[in-house]
Short mmCIF file of all heavy atoms in Angstrom, two decimals:
data_model
loop_
_atom_site.label_atom_id
_atom_site.label_comp_id
_atom_site.label_asym_id
_atom_site.label_seq_id
_atom_site.Cartn_x
_atom_site.Cartn_y
_atom_site.Cartn_z
N GLU A 305 164.65 18.77 -24.02
CA GLU A 305 164.36 19.39 -25.29
C GLU A 305 165.31 18.82 -26.43
O GLU A 305 164.80 18.61 -27.54
CB GLU A 305 164.63 20.91 -25.20
CG GLU A 305 163.83 21.57 -24.12
CD GLU A 305 162.35 21.68 -24.48
OE1 GLU A 305 162.06 21.61 -25.69
OE2 GLU A 305 161.52 21.77 -23.53
N GLY A 307 167.60 16.21 -25.87
CA GLY A 307 168.01 14.82 -25.63
C GLY A 307 169.43 14.75 -25.13
O GLY A 307 169.97 13.64 -24.83
N VAL A 365 171.10 36.94 -12.78
CA VAL A 365 170.44 36.07 -13.80
C VAL A 365 168.99 36.53 -13.93
O VAL A 365 168.26 36.61 -13.01
CB VAL A 365 170.45 34.60 -13.41
CG1 VAL A 365 169.91 33.74 -14.48
CG2 VAL A 365 171.85 34.17 -12.99
N SER A 508 167.28 19.53 -8.46
CA SER A 508 166.34 20.62 -8.19
C SER A 508 165.70 20.98 -9.51
O SER A 508 166.47 21.28 -10.51
CB SER A 508 167.01 21.87 -7.63
OG SER A 508 167.62 21.60 -6.40
N ASP A 596 149.09 21.74 -0.82
CA ASP A 596 147.77 21.25 -0.29
C ASP A 596 147.89 19.77 0.11
O ASP A 596 148.71 19.03 -0.42
CB ASP A 596 146.68 21.48 -1.34
CG ASP A 596 147.00 20.76 -2.65
OD1 ASP A 596 147.84 21.27 -3.40
OD2 ASP A 596 146.41 19.71 -2.89
N PRO A 629 165.85 16.92 8.63
CA PRO A 629 166.16 15.48 8.74
C PRO A 629 167.66 15.26 8.94
O PRO A 629 168.02 14.21 9.52
CB PRO A 629 165.72 14.88 7.41
CG PRO A 629 165.57 16.09 6.47
CD PRO A 629 165.26 17.27 7.32
N LEU A 669 153.57 36.42 9.53
CA LEU A 669 154.75 35.63 9.78
C LEU A 669 155.94 36.61 9.73
O LEU A 669 156.22 37.24 8.74
CB LEU A 669 154.96 34.51 8.83
CG LEU A 669 155.96 33.42 9.32
CD1 LEU A 669 155.42 32.04 8.92
CD2 LEU A 669 157.31 33.59 8.61
N LEU A 725 148.94 30.94 5.19
CA LEU A 725 147.58 31.24 4.79
C LEU A 725 147.50 32.21 3.60
O LEU A 725 146.47 32.82 3.38
CB LEU A 725 146.80 31.91 5.97
CG LEU A 725 146.80 31.00 7.27
CD1 LEU A 725 146.14 31.77 8.41
CD2 LEU A 725 145.98 29.73 7.03
#
Side-chain angles (χ1 to χ4, degrees):
E305 302 289 336
V365 184
S508 297
D596 57 285
L669 197 139
L725 304 174

